Amino acid sequence: MSLHLDQSMMARALELAKQGQGRVEPNPMVGAVVVKDERIVGEGYHQVYGGPHAEILALEQAASHANGAILYVTLEPCCHHGKTPPCTEAIIKAGIKEVVAACSDPFPEVAGNGFKALCQAGIEVRIGVQKEKAERLNAPFFKLVQAGLPYVIAKWAMTLDGKIATSSGESKWISGEESRQLVHDLRGRVDGIVIGIVTVLADDPLLTARPAGPRVATRIVLDSHLKTPLDSQLVSTARQVPTLLVHGSYDDDRIAALTASGCECVRIESPHRSERINLLLKDLGRRRMTNLLVEGGAAILGSFFDADAVDEVWAFMAPKWIGNSAARGPLDGIGGRGISPISQLEDVTVEKVGQDALLRGRCIHSQRSNS
């Protein structure tokens, strides 16, 4: 097969895979294309958690044309019985002659065994076509499987002079309507949204996706002393939308009242902020949360960056300015102490969203640990 065909077919498979975003987690997003005589005869993507895998849907569409065809797939086919039968068995049975995969699956029950099963059946296997793009697409899945932690997206909106609020604390609305809608779209496909008690007391947010997306995110409040008001929107809607209050010191009566309202209270104590963040992420990983959105104010965002816990940044910049040295910037915390070791992003993109600019990028982890 030509390099051009490999690239174009895998690009199509990746395009298909993205359609499962927000619908398949904690499973990976996967796309598959069946090609015969350089023509697509079947394609599919993993559409919903627990549903048929991409390879199965593509083979079903290809039907008898799959015999002697090439299967392009964005991730190593599974070879174990989970919620669905092994894809490797279906691939072998369909008569596929060659499998071209973008990357391996780190899930322990697969992890090279899928490729091994295909090779043992006499199917040619090639790995690595558009590997980097495929691994980037499923970075949240890879992190959850390999580290047991959710993928953390930090988001904020700021002015041209880097302010997220005026000196009096006013922040509505720095970004435009188009940017706010994009954030609602993001909320609708993550597993959890994190804010701090300061934001709760100042804004009384609802923290839901409007309109609703494919997922309903758990609202997570970092509230050391359980000050979240019982009449707040978060508590009032806790029976409809999962609400998790993360606290340290506590009062039994206060916990009882919040729990009776539908909230879950989780105690995490440590003298070090970074350790508290890491303990929270481990707890959320055990809950199989794949994507976590941090929308907190400067203190919360700064704590996540100090803990080296942020994987991706969404920074909206509005064509406005506030001035005033007392106005808040997006990050508090310890931060860097010099330019040479300063934290930075890679794979940076900038796009226009209404009148705003959205800068996105992945964090280069420094592996530092600040208290």
Side-chain angles (χ1 to χ4, degrees):
M1 282 293 159
S2 70
L3 178 61
H4 174 73
L5 184 66
D6 281 352
Q7 295 294 324
S8 63
M9 292 300 104
M10 192 61 76
R12 175 56 183 164
L14 287 166
E15 183 182 330
L16 289 165
K18 290 177 185 176
Q19 296 182 44
Q21 194 169 51
R23 294 174 169 80
V24 301
E25 294 85 350
N27 279 353
M29 293 173 277
V30 182
V33 176
V34 180
V35 177
K36 192 167 188 179
D37 299 326
E38 301 191 2
R39 182 175 62 88
I40 294 177
V41 294
E43 57 183 28
Y45 67 96
H46 189 28
Q47 299 178 5
V48 62
Y49 179 71
H53 288 187
E55 300 95 316
I56 303 302
L57 295 173
L59 290 172
E60 286 179 353
Q61 190 178 100
S64 61
H65 296 292
N67 187 44
I70 300 174
L71 173 68
Y72 288 86
V73 62
T74 58
L75 189 68
E76 178 180 3
C78 68
C79 54
H80 66 291
H81 284 271
K83 290 187 176 293
T84 60
C87 289
T88 50
E89 290 183 3
I91 293 168
I92 295 167
K93 185 177 180 181
I96 291 290
K97 71 172 184 179
E98 182 179 359
V99 171
V100 181
C103 61
S104 301
D105 186 340
F107 191 70
E109 292 186 70
V110 185
N113 292 318
F115 294 141
K116 183 179 179 180
L118 295 173
C119 290
Q120 288 177 340
I123 297 174
E124 182 182 349
V125 174
R126 290 190 288 125
I127 310 164
V129 176
Q130 300 216 28
K131 177 183 177 181
E132 188 174 304
K133 289 183 179 179
E135 290 180 341
R136 191 178 307 154
L137 175 67
N138 275 314
F141 167 74
F142 278 51
K143 185 180 181 185
L144 184 62
V145 169
Q146 295 171 328
L149 302 173
Y151 185 85
V152 178
I153 303 170
K155 163 263 166 184
W156 65 85
M158 62 185 179
T159 58
L160 285 174
D161 53 341
K163 309 295 185 181
I164 64 169
T166 66
S167 57
S168 63
E170 185 180 350
S171 60
K172 292 184 178 180
W173 295 101
I174 285 178
S175 58
E177 177 60 34
E178 295 89 343
S179 294
R180 296 196 294 274
Q181 188 53 59
L182 193 57
V183 171
H184 278 288
D185 293 342
L186 178 58
R187 284 180 178 179
R189 57 179 175 82
V190 300
D191 297 298
I193 303 171
V194 178
I195 60 170
I197 184 59
V198 173
T199 300
V200 173
L201 297 176
D203 300 337
D204 189 23
L206 188 57
L207 287 188
T208 55
R210 301 182 293 277
R215 304 185 85 74
V216 176
T218 298
R219 290 125 12 132
I220 303 165
V221 182
L222 305 190
D223 182 5
S224 297
H225 304 293
L226 288 177
K227 294 181 179 179
T228 300
L230 291 173
D231 62 351
S232 65
Q233 291 197 88
L234 292 174
V235 177
S236 300
T237 59
R239 294 199 178 280
Q240 290 75 50
V241 183
T243 305
L244 184 68
L245 305 180
V246 183
H247 64 94
S249 59
Y250 67 99
D251 175 270
D252 286 335
D253 291 338
R254 184 68 175 167
I255 288 178
L258 289 165
T259 302
S261 297
C263 298
E264 180 183 356
C265 299
V266 174
R267 186 180 182 186
I268 294 180
E269 283 194 305
S270 170
H272 305 294
R273 289 176 298 172
S274 292
E275 185 175 349
R276 292 196 296 273
I277 296 296
N278 289 324
L279 288 172
L280 169 63
L281 293 176
K282 288 178 181 178
D283 180 87
L284 300 180
R286 285 190 291 269
R287 296 168 188 254
R288 306 301 291 164
M289 288 194 183
T290 308
N291 291 283
L292 187 69
L293 175 61
V294 180
E295 285 200 44
I300 299 300
L301 286 164
S303 294
F304 270 83
F305 276 99
D306 283 343
D308 200 26
V310 177
D311 297 293
E312 186 174 328
V313 167
W314 287 42
F316 293 88
M317 182 177 292
K320 307 171 183 177
W321 54 91
I322 292 175
N324 192 328
S325 60
R328 299 294 296 272
L331 303 181
D332 285 347
I334 297 172
R337 293 175 174 82
I339 292 298
S340 58
I342 201 166
S343 301
Q344 60 183 341
L345 301 177
E346 61 183 357
D347 298 330
V348 175
T349 63
V350 180
E351 62 180 290
K352 192 171 184 292
V353 182
Q355 292 299 308
D356 304 330
L358 168 60
L359 184 148
R360 293 178 57 182
R362 296 191 304 156
C363 294
I364 301 174
H365 288 288
S366 62
Q367 301 304 322
R368 61 183 173 167
S369 140
N370 295 322
S371 60

